[in-house]
Amino acid sequence: MKKIYVLLVVFIIGWSCTKESTTEDHEQVKGNDSVKLTVSQKQATMTSGQSLENSMEWAAFLTAQAITTNQDAQEQFIEVLNASTGVGTLNSRITFEDLLGADISDTRFKEVFQERFEHYSSSLVCTPRPGGMGHPEPPIGDNSCTTPFCNYLRLLLDENCLEIIFPNGFESNDVQITNVASTAHPMTSDVFNDAYSHVTNSCITMRSRITGRNVGDYNNLILVRPYSSLIDNCDYESYSIDFTLFLQ
């Protein structure tokens, strides 16, 4: 009985020390996380692959919703794409800085993108959507942001370098884009991911599995992926993935 009592005391003391050490480590990590990074110190590699994939899926999804439900957003989107690499060009490219950056003068797309973000953040009416029945999940920001959308823009523009790729080019008529598909890089070596098909003036979508073999079946495909750039201080080396190979 005495031996059991001694062992119990030793166990309690050891458990207390471990808990205290864990608490100190947690507080230290929390303290480091509270240090505000400058824009030039993009913390792209600090975002987990799964979380980043979900954020990119939502970014592609909201972009598709903006341009299929609002004519003004569509017109500005086409103007930005034309000014970059051209509407019909295969693997044409624009960045979210081009569409949502602080310095843009034409905010038609940005305003509708925000409206779609706020709609899906508060409503479960429209499905399917990225994450099943989920919502766009902006990170917890600092005092410089007072709204969830501001934090979401920080995720897209400041904490990551994200681009929109159009593997099949992008085509629209003079009236309205009739169908768009959206997907994102899986942030793994997988050769497939979920894709969402969007139709004009509707929040109802169809979910399917997209791969390099059937990518040509998707009209106006919007693919969101990270890009590495020394100029923009974007470094995704920790993932050891060539993002350009997905859907090729």
Side-chain angles (χ1 to χ4, degrees):
M1 185 71 180
K2 187 174 182 180
K3 289 183 178 180
I4 294 176
Y5 175 77
V6 171
L7 289 174
L8 182 62
V9 171
V10 171
F11 172 77
I12 292 174
I13 293 174
W15 179 81
S16 300
C17 293
T18 302
K19 182 179 180 182
E20 190 173 310
S21 176
T22 302
T23 303
E24 289 175 356
D25 291 343
H26 175 73
E27 290 175 349
Q28 183 178 4
V29 172
K30 184 176 180 182
N32 290 338
D33 285 347
S34 66
V35 177
K36 183 179 177 181
L37 297 177
T38 64
V39 173
S40 63
Q41 294 173 298
K42 292 179 186 291
Q43 53 185 19
T45 56
M46 296 176 62
T47 306
S48 70
Q50 185 176 7
S51 176
L52 181 54
E53 179 199 358
N54 182 259
S55 298
M56 293 191 301
E57 282 189 349
W58 269 111
F61 188 93
L62 295 174
T63 297
Q65 280 293 302
I67 62 178
T68 54
T69 60
N70 186 279
Q71 185 73 28
D72 288 336
Q74 176 196 144
E75 289 177 358
Q76 194 217 339
F77 183 84
I78 295 298
E79 289 171 6
V80 171
L81 181 54
N82 270 326
S84 179
T85 50
V87 172
T89 307
L90 297 183
N91 292 311
S92 49
R93 167 191 183 271
I94 54 178
T95 70
F96 278 101
E97 193 70 41
D98 299 326
L99 294 168
L100 304 172
D103 297 330
I104 61 173
S105 57
D106 188 342
T107 61
R108 288 176 294 167
F109 174 87
K110 185 175 183 178
E111 290 169 2
V112 179
F113 186 90
Q114 178 175 359
E115 184 275 325
R116 292 286 82 195
F117 170 85
E118 292 172 350
H119 167 78
Y120 282 97
S121 294
S122 60
S123 172
L124 291 174
V125 173
C126 299
T127 57
R129 57 173 71 186
M133 294 289 287
H135 302 280
E137 297 182 4
I140 299 175
D142 56 27
N143 294 332
S144 65
C145 275
T146 58
T147 66
F149 184 66
C150 174
N151 284 321
Y152 190 63
L153 287 186
R154 286 190 59 194
L155 175 70
L156 299 183
L157 304 178
D158 297 344
E159 297 176 8
N160 288 283
C161 291
L162 304 179
E163 61 185 359
I164 301 174
I165 300 295
F166 305 90
N168 303 321
F170 198 88
E171 300 291 345
S172 66
N173 55 41
D174 295 332
V175 181
Q176 180 81 29
I177 296 174
T178 55
N179 55 77
V180 174
S182 64
T183 190
H185 195 288
M187 297 308 295
T188 66
S189 58
D190 288 344
V191 296
F192 60 86
N193 206 355
D194 288 337
Y196 298 85
S197 297
H198 309 250
V199 296
T200 304
N201 295 323
S202 174
C203 67
I204 305 300
T205 63
M206 292 182 59
R207 182 169 56 212
S208 57
R209 177 66 57 87
I210 190 170
T211 70
R213 293 184 177 183
N214 67 2
V215 63
D217 299 337
Y218 292 82
N219 294 327
N220 293 334
L221 175 62
I222 292 174
L223 164 64
V224 174
R225 70 187 187 193
Y227 66 90
S228 298
S229 170
L230 295 178
I231 297 176
D232 295 320
N233 295 291
C234 294
D235 179 9
Y236 290 89
E237 290 183 357
S238 64
Y239 287 106
S240 300
I241 300 171
D242 184 347
F243 301 120
T244 65
L245 297 180
F246 182 62
L247 298 184
Q248 296 300 308

